[in-house]
Amino acid sequence: MHRFLNRQSLREQRGLLRSLLIYHGIPWRHRQLVNFYRQFIGPDDLCFDIGAHVGNRVRAWRALDATVVAVEPQPVCFRFLHRWYGNDPRV
């Protein structure tokens, strides 16, 4: 069982890394999201990201100075979001 958990953890970490590269590793993607959401979201708006995954929308909405409620059921993604945004009082 212990051996399976290590393999599963490695698989989760690889999946997280892949998601980070896809959603945060392309430089212009963040700018595109901010420019798109700017037409709907302004400073001090309250936004809900249900299924936040690795937080690319959270990041874009925070760039627009919105307050964000992020919900993520996957433990590996939740831990990442908590590490990245855990000290931000507006997330």
Side-chain angles (χ1 to χ4, degrees):
M1 184 73 167
H2 179 68
R3 189 176 199 183
F4 171 76
L5 291 175
N6 288 338
R7 221 178 288 156
Q8 185 67 24
S9 178
L10 183 59
R11 190 174 313 140
E12 287 175 346
Q13 295 301 317
R14 280 195 311 243
L16 177 64
L17 179 59
R18 180 175 180 266
S19 291
L20 289 172
L21 290 172
I22 291 168
Y23 291 102
H24 293 286
I26 301 172
W28 61 87
R29 179 169 276 170
H30 174 69
R31 281 191 309 275
Q32 288 175 334
L33 280 175
V34 171
N35 288 335
F36 175 74
Y37 285 114
R38 182 175 278 123
Q39 58 189 323
F40 309 110
I41 297 171
D44 299 321
D45 282 355
L46 177 61
C47 301
F48 293 83
D49 189 356
I50 308 302
H53 196 55
V54 291
N56 62 322
R57 283 176 179 75
V58 175
R59 183 175 166 218
W61 297 346
R62 285 300 294 125
L64 295 169
D65 206 25
T67 298
V68 181
V69 175
V71 179
E72 176 51 52
Q74 296 181 74
V76 68
C77 293
F78 174 81
R79 286 189 300 270
F80 170 78
L81 290 170
H82 189 265
R83 270 180 283 182
W84 207 356
Y85 298 108
N87 292 325
D88 185 341
R90 300 207 44 202
V91 175

